[in-house]
Amino acid sequence: MKYADMPLAMWLVFVKSFRNNLTTVLGIKPSEAKEITQKAKRKYKEIIAKLPEFEKKDRFKMNLVSCAMFSAFLLALPTLPDVDAATEYYKKAMMTNLMEWFCRQNGKSQYSASDIRGMQETSALKAGDRNPYSWNMDFREYEDGSGYEAKFYTCGICTLMTELGLKHLIPAMCRLDYIMSEAGGVTNFVREHTLASGGPYCDCGYKKK
């Protein structure tokens, strides 16, 4: 994958937040946080360069690019945080004002005909069959009309973070599903299993408020 377009844009949009939260969440001195950020940028470019390009219709490229950025910062730290600290760090780093706005905009079209069609097309694509850093999912609408569910059987985040020696910190990323759904304002997010915790799949249930 080239360090251009989405990877570059993601870095420019979120780098300040990732750097600042090294201090506010992880207690790292600002001067050290600056050095960690420089190291993380080099690591981020290295990770991105080793990833394959995603298919044009694959909607999960942003998920993996976000994972690459988070992983780069983790690997630049002198000591890895525990899961709780990593979870809080990733949440605060990602949920900027821009991301809050993005979630609200997505919430306006969730459950629309175009949203349902997009979920169905993603389910049919099965990009994970051809790209180990992408996802395969099954999609179904709830029979009572209360929303829908996506079940994921392959996960690019699990693949990448396991390769990078960060498997135990994958749950820190999983938690953001709840935060983003809440920020959208229209969904109660429900889940029983995750691949990261040894489950048979990751289930993402979106129930209308």
Side-chain angles (χ1 to χ4, degrees), residues 17-175:
S17 182
F18 271 81
R19 183 183 66 241
N20 290 346
N21 280 287
L22 289 173
T23 299
T24 57
V25 176
L26 300 182
I28 293 171
K29 294 179 181 179
S31 58
E32 187 179 354
K34 184 177 181 180
E35 294 175 3
I36 290 171
T37 300
Q38 293 172 344
K39 184 178 178 181
K41 185 176 183 179
R42 293 192 295 270
K43 189 63 180 178
Y44 178 64
K45 288 183 175 181
E46 178 185 317
I47 294 171
I48 291 296
K50 292 180 179 179
L51 297 175
E53 290 296 341
F54 274 47
E55 295 175 40
K56 198 168 185 179
K57 293 184 178 180
D58 192 335
R59 66 192 290 170
F60 294 114
K61 181 177 180 178
M62 184 179 291
N63 299 61
L64 194 71
V65 171
S66 176
C67 175
M69 189 167 182
F70 180 45
S71 297
F73 271 89
L74 290 175
L75 293 170
L77 292 171
T79 305
L80 288 175
D82 61 23
V83 173
D84 290 339
T87 300
E88 185 67 10
Y89 172 64
Y90 185 62
K91 179 184 77 172
K92 292 292 181 62
M94 286 299 297
M95 295 309 291
T96 61
N97 290 336
L98 178 61
M99 180 60 82
E100 294 273 1
W101 175 85
F102 176 78
C103 291
R104 289 194 298 271
Q105 294 303 115
N106 276 355
K108 292 177 181 180
S109 61
Q110 194 163 8
Y111 311 115
S112 66
S114 61
D115 177 46
I116 299 296
R117 184 168 58 253
M119 295 292 284
Q120 292 170 336
E121 290 173 352
T122 298
S123 178
L125 184 63
K126 295 290 186 292
D129 287 345
R130 299 169 297 280
N131 181 356
Y133 300 97
S134 189
W135 283 253
N136 281 350
M137 79 173 197
D138 288 337
F139 171 77
R140 73 179 181 93
E141 296 182 72
Y142 296 131
E143 293 181 359
D144 61 2
S146 63
Y148 55 68
E149 177 186 69
K151 284 185 177 179
F152 294 87
Y153 296 93
T154 64
C155 169
I157 287 171
C158 290
T159 301
L160 179 58
M161 293 188 75
T162 298
E163 289 180 354
L164 295 173
L166 300 171
K167 184 177 181 179
H168 63 295
L169 295 179
I170 295 171
M173 293 201 66
C174 300
R175 186 66 192 173

Side-chain angles (χ1 to χ4, degrees), residues 173-193:
M173 293 201 66
C174 300
R175 186 66 192 173
L176 200 71
D177 290 333
Y178 292 87
I179 306 302
M180 292 183 67
S181 292
E182 183 64 26
V186 299
T187 291
N188 289 316
F189 185 82
V190 294
R191 168 177 284 156
E192 293 183 9
H193 305 284

